[in-house]
Amino acid sequence: MQNVTQQTHNTSLHDTLLTKSLSAADYVSTHDAMLARTLERISLKKEQGLRTPDELWIVDHNDVYTLGQAGKEEHILQRTDTPIIKTDRGGQVTWHGHGQLVVYWLFDLDSIGWSVRNLVSHAEQAIEDVVNDCLQNSLSSISDNISAHARRDAPGVYLYADTDTVADNDAQAQNTSLDDKIMLGKIASLGFKIKHGFSYHGIALNIDCDLSAFNAINPCGYAGMQMLRLADFLTIQKEPEAQTAQHMHNSLSYEQVTQKLIDNIAKRHAGLIELRAIAPK
C-alpha cells in the first residue's frame, strides 16, 4: 500500500467554532488526538472555568473498519486486509475510507444548550439539508423524486424514492410520511460519544467512495442494509481541471459538498438553523 503523508489544515469559522481538516488520516492516531483534545477541554472548563472553541474535524480516513463500544463482532462477515479497530463511540460496525466525508463534532453541549438528542437531530438534519439540496439542484434525471430522510428507529440518513402516486402530486410529496416512500438505502451514518457534556466522534457521508467495502460487514449492525453514495445520483467531479465548463456547471466536487455541510453545521451551532420536528418512526 502506498504511504500517504497526513496533512492538517485549521480554519476559524467564528469565535466559538473552528475546523480542522485531516487528509489520509489513520484512525487510531486521529481518535487519540480527538480524545486528548476533548479531555483537555473538559479539564480547562472544570479547573479554570474556560470555554474553549468547539471544533469540527473534517477527516479523509485511510481505509478502516470501526466497531462501536457495544459492537458485536458477528456483524463482521469477512476478514480482509483492512484493519478492524474497536472504538468508544456508539453504534455497531462501519467502514471509513477515501471518498467518504467524516466530520467529528467536538462540541461543549452545555455551553450551546444542546441535549444529546439535539446533537443527534442536528447532525441528521444537517445531512438531510445538504443531500437534498444537492439532489434538488442536480440536472440528472436519476435524482428525480429522490430525497434524504432520518428515521427514529435507525440512526443515520437514508434515501427514499417517491411512489408513482406521490410523485404525481408535489404538494402531497412534501407532506407524505415515510410509509408512502420506498427506502433505497443508507447514505450517511452517525455515532457519538459524550463525556462530561462534551461530544466527540460524529458523522460519515458517502460521497464517491467504493461501496464494496461494506460487503464485508452488516453496516451499523443491519444485515442486508444497502449502502448508497451521492455519486450514484448526481455527478461528482473527480478531476476538475479535466472537465469542461458545462460539465462543471452540472456537477459538484467533493470539496463543494464538504463546504455545504460545514456551513450548515456552523449555522446550527450559532443558532441560525432551528431543529425541525423529529423524524417519524
Side-chain angles (χ1 to χ4, degrees):
M1 178 181 296
Q2 182 180 7
N3 291 324
V4 182
T5 302
Q6 178 175 319
Q7 297 181 345
T8 305
H9 178 68
N10 297 341
T11 303
S12 178
L13 297 177
H14 50 71
D15 290 344
T16 59
L17 183 64
L18 57 84
T19 65
K20 178 177 183 176
S21 297
L22 300 170
S23 62
D26 287 328
Y27 185 83
V28 173
S29 59
T30 303
H31 170 269
D32 290 351
M34 178 171 57
L35 176 58
R37 178 56 183 153
T38 299
L39 293 174
E40 180 184 27
R41 297 182 68 204
I42 292 170
S43 177
L44 288 170
K45 185 175 184 178
K46 284 189 172 182
E47 297 175 8
Q48 302 180 37
L50 293 179
R51 179 183 178 182
T52 50
D54 289 335
E55 302 179 14
L56 287 174
W57 287 24
I58 316 302
V59 184
D60 164 49
H61 271 302
N62 293 325
D63 285 11
V64 65
Y65 292 107
T66 66
L67 192 62
Q69 197 163 3
K72 300 177 180 178
E73 294 208 8
E74 66 197 55
H75 293 302
I76 301 170
L77 306 178
Q78 178 184 353
R79 301 281 172 166
T80 69
D81 292 336
T82 301
I84 301 171
I85 307 295
K86 183 82 172 179
T87 190
D88 58 350
R89 61 162 172 78
Q92 292 289 329
V93 64
T94 193
W95 169 86
H96 299 311
H98 303 302
Q100 181 190 70
L101 172 59
V102 173
V103 182
Y104 294 133
W105 302 44
L106 282 67
F107 283 10
D108 176 352
L109 299 182
D110 293 336
S111 291
I112 57 177
W114 287 10
S115 66
V116 176
R117 180 67 250 183
N118 290 156
L119 171 69
V120 172
S121 294
H122 273 298
E124 290 176 331
Q125 291 182 17
I127 298 167
E128 286 177 337
D129 287 350
V130 170
V131 172
N132 283 328
D133 178 71
C134 293
L135 293 172
Q136 290 164 10
N137 289 291
S138 170
L139 297 181
S140 171
S141 60
I142 300 174
S143 63
D144 289 350
N145 304 314
I146 305 294
S147 53
H149 302 274
R151 299 163 52 117
R152 286 290 299 277
D153 60 342
V157 176
Y158 304 78
L159 293 189
Y160 287 80
D162 294 333
T163 62
D164 292 340
T165 302
V166 171
D168 289 339
N169 189 322
D170 290 341
Q172 183 184 359
Q174 293 298 319
N175 298 299
T176 189
S177 72
L178 296 185
D179 291 338
D180 297 318
K181 296 175 180 288
I182 301 169
M183 193 188 82
L184 303 178
K186 188 173 190 177
I187 196 167
S189 304
L190 68 152
F192 290 97
K193 175 70 175 180
I194 311 299
K195 191 178 289 290
H196 298 286
F198 284 75
S199 67
Y200 59 107
H201 290 286
I203 63 177
L205 171 63
N206 300 327
I207 297 181
D208 60 353
C209 50
D210 181 357
L211 294 176
S212 65
F214 288 104
N215 295 338
I217 61 174
N218 288 329
C220 303
Y222 291 94
M225 174 61 71
Q226 178 66 48
M227 298 301 290
L228 305 174
R229 60 180 188 169
L230 203 53
D232 289 329
F233 298 89
L234 53 88
T235 302
I236 299 294
Q237 297 171 21
K238 293 187 179 296
E239 298 178 1
E241 67 277 5
Q243 307 296 327
T244 65
Q246 181 63 31
H247 185 271
M248 292 178 67
H249 178 72
N250 295 341
S251 61
L252 284 169
S253 67
Y254 180 98
E255 291 73 21
Q256 286 172 317
V257 177
T258 299
Q259 192 59 53
K260 284 175 180 286
L261 189 56
I262 293 172
D263 291 345
N264 189 285
I265 297 170
K267 288 178 181 178
R268 291 173 180 277
H269 183 272
L272 301 178
I273 298 179
E274 296 184 357
L275 284 176
R276 299 184 288 274
I278 295 177
K281 289 186 178 180

